[in-house]
Amino acid sequence: MTITAKIIPGHGAASGKKGDHRYPGGTIAIQAPYFKKLGLDLTGYHPGTLNIDVSPFNYQIKNPKYFFNQVEWTKHIPPENFYFFDVTVSYKMIEHKGLVYMPDPKTKTEHEQSKTTLELILPKIDEIIYGDIITISVNKNQLELLP
């Protein structure tokens, strides 16, 4: 399924922009070695997330490309489950392959996201700013976007 979405500010935890002393360099940089041991190599992706608003759509998890159960990646919060789904982003007529990154809302204890917000892990996209409109395409067998 292909839809348009708007780039929105996130919490700044994934990239480290928030400056949380518990997660120097951001949560993605800390989590990446754990994901790699579980079979997902994030080398080549920007160590942060691009947050998008997909409203009026929300999502339904189907069959994730990756699911990691009870990952103990930090001593500061309880173990979390993580879902990853394939995504293709089109921005300024250039396609970028990446992943929807989704800490399981059932195990995530901080930085709650709305059901219309998705976090994307992508290669660095220069010049993209808050408010820009992108096109995303997801595999509906992995993650279904529902009106």
Side-chain angles (χ1 to χ4, degrees), residues 28 35-36 39-46 48-52 63-68 82-89 96-103 118-123 125 134 136-139 142-143:
I28 298 294
F35 298 151
K36 189 170 186 175
L40 173 59
D41 187 355
L42 295 179
T43 303
Y45 292 106
H46 177 70
T49 60
L50 185 66
N51 290 266
I52 61 170
N63 297 299
K65 182 169 189 172
Y66 298 96
F67 174 72
F68 303 133
F82 293 90
Y83 296 96
F84 292 88
F85 311 90
D86 288 316
V87 68
T88 301
V89 169
H96 307 272
K97 300 280 186 192
L99 298 163
V100 175
Y101 160 85
M102 188 181 298
L118 293 178
E119 293 182 82
L120 309 182
I121 294 180
L122 298 158
I125 302 174
I134 62 172
I136 68 160
S137 184
V138 296
N139 180 332
Q142 292 180 11
L143 182 69

Side-chain angles (χ1 to χ4, degrees), residues 10-63:
H11 297 289
S15 65
K17 288 181 183 176
K18 182 178 180 180
D20 189 327
H21 71 279
R22 299 174 300 168
Y23 313 119
T27 59
I28 298 294
I30 296 169
Q31 293 165 353
Y34 294 90
F35 298 151
K36 189 170 186 175
K37 286 180 185 174
L38 295 167
L40 173 59
D41 187 355
L42 295 179
T43 303
Y45 292 106
H46 177 70
T49 60
L50 185 66
N51 290 266
I52 61 170
D53 178 9
V54 296
S55 60
F57 296 90
N58 59 42
Y59 61 84
Q60 181 177 4
I61 295 169
K62 297 286 191 171
N63 297 299

